[in-house]
């Protein structure tokens, strides 16, 4: 059974930084791509960033471009990081890690494109 576990969430001040981690465990699992999504209270789930296993394709949501950086610890994509800098109050949300085994020419930005999901980690940014 595949599990995705997020860590690194917590409280940060506006202008500060946090780094989230997503670790995949279970049977031999090498996702084609891993994505980060977030959902704030009363809002729809939003694409934050995604990376393919070969790290050749990376994508960011418009609201985080230039502030967040996604990276992978290995080519298997079993550990993926999301470095979040210059945080603001609008970044407050539950952040989810997701993975897909489906090949795609681009980094998938739709939540429906990912088959596996973590439980989420809360990020709160105080102003």
């Amino acid at each position: 059974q595949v599990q995705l576990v997020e860590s690194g969430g917590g409280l940060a001040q506006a202008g500060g930084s946090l780094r989230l981690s997503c670790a995949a465990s279970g049977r031999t699992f090498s996702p084609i791509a891993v994505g980060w999504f977030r959902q704030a209270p009363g809002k729809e789930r939003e694409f934050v960033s995604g990376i393919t296993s070969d790290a050749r394709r990376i994508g960011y949501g418009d609201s985080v471009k230039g502030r967040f950086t996604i990276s992978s610890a290995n080519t298997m994509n079993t550990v993926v990081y999301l470095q979040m800098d210059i945080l603001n109050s609008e970044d407050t949300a539950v952040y989810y890690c997701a993975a897909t085994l489906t090949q795609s020419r681009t980094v998938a930005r739709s939540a429906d494109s990912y088959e596996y999901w973590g439980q989420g980690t809360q990020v709160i940014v105080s102003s």
Side-chain angles (χ1 to χ4, degrees):
Q1 185 175 356
V2 173
Q3 280 191 316
L4 297 177
V5 179
E6 304 96 336
S7 61
L11 179 65
Q13 291 194 338
S17 300
L18 283 174
R19 188 175 82 155
L20 305 182
S21 299
C22 172
S25 63
R27 61 176 172 85
T28 302
F29 183 63
S30 181
I32 299 300
V34 172
W36 284 98
F37 290 77
R38 67 186 183 186
Q39 189 164 19
K43 294 187 177 182
E44 293 185 354
R45 192 163 294 192
E46 175 190 16
F47 172 78
V48 175
S49 185
I51 186 169
T52 55
S53 58
D54 55 8
R56 294 179 64 182
R57 284 162 286 170
I58 290 175
Y60 295 98
D62 289 341
S63 61
V64 306
K65 200 172 296 183
R67 300 187 298 121
F68 290 12
T69 304
I70 193 170
S71 62
S72 181
N74 52 53
T75 56
M76 302 284 285
N77 250 9
T78 53
V79 179
V80 173
Y81 304 107
L82 183 69
Q83 177 67 39
M84 307 187 297
D85 298 317
I86 319 176
L87 288 163
N88 58 60
S89 58
E90 294 186 352
D91 296 319
T92 294
V94 176
Y95 284 71
Y96 298 92
C97 170
T100 179
L101 298 177
T102 303
Q103 290 278 3
S104 175
R105 292 184 177 182
T106 61
V107 172
R109 294 170 177 260
S110 169
D112 292 340
S113 299
Y114 294 84
E115 304 92 73
Y116 303 94
W117 289 83
Q119 293 299 308
T121 185
Q122 177 74 57
V123 171
I124 299 174
V125 182
S126 62
S127 55

